Amino acid sequence: MGGSTPSGFGGAGEFNKLDADFVRVIEDLIDVLIARQVIRITDLPAQAQEKLFARKSFRDRRPAQALRLYGGDDDGIVSTDFAAL
């Protein structure tokens, strides 16, 4: 059992990717809640706001990394433009 990885996962690298993917899901969930006016960005602690703004800024500079939950280019993708809120 010493060097094996649980459930067939490929070790720390794959676990880190799963964590990064999960963080992206949480980020998108927050975007949806804000867009639907369930929460406001100002409802979050200042440190959380700063981290979300930093990630949004990074994602805006890397459009090829944008998650397309619904397929195509412009078919219901939620904007992460917090400045408009």
Side-chain angles (χ1 to χ4, degrees):
M1 200 182 265
S4 66
T5 55
S7 304
F9 287 112
E14 188 163 344
F15 191 74
N16 288 340
K17 182 181 178 338
L18 289 172
D19 278 354
D21 291 345
F22 187 70
V23 167
R24 180 63 191 266
V25 169
I26 298 295
E27 184 181 1
D28 288 337
L29 174 62
I30 292 169
D31 290 345
V32 169
L33 293 173
I34 291 170
R36 293 186 180 178
Q37 298 180 352
V38 174
I39 64 171
R40 292 174 292 200
I41 189 71
T42 56
D43 292 338
L44 301 172
Q47 289 180 332
Q49 292 178 42
E50 290 170 11
K51 289 176 182 175
L52 285 168
F53 286 132
R55 285 189 56 86
K56 181 196 175 319
S57 176
F58 182 79
R59 282 172 60 181
D60 286 350
R61 291 188 308 259
R62 299 182 55 126
Q65 300 297 320
L67 180 63
R68 299 290 183 219
L69 294 175
Y70 303 107
D73 290 335
D74 293 320
D75 55 344
I77 303 301
V78 175
S79 170
T80 58
D81 182 9
F82 295 135
L85 299 176

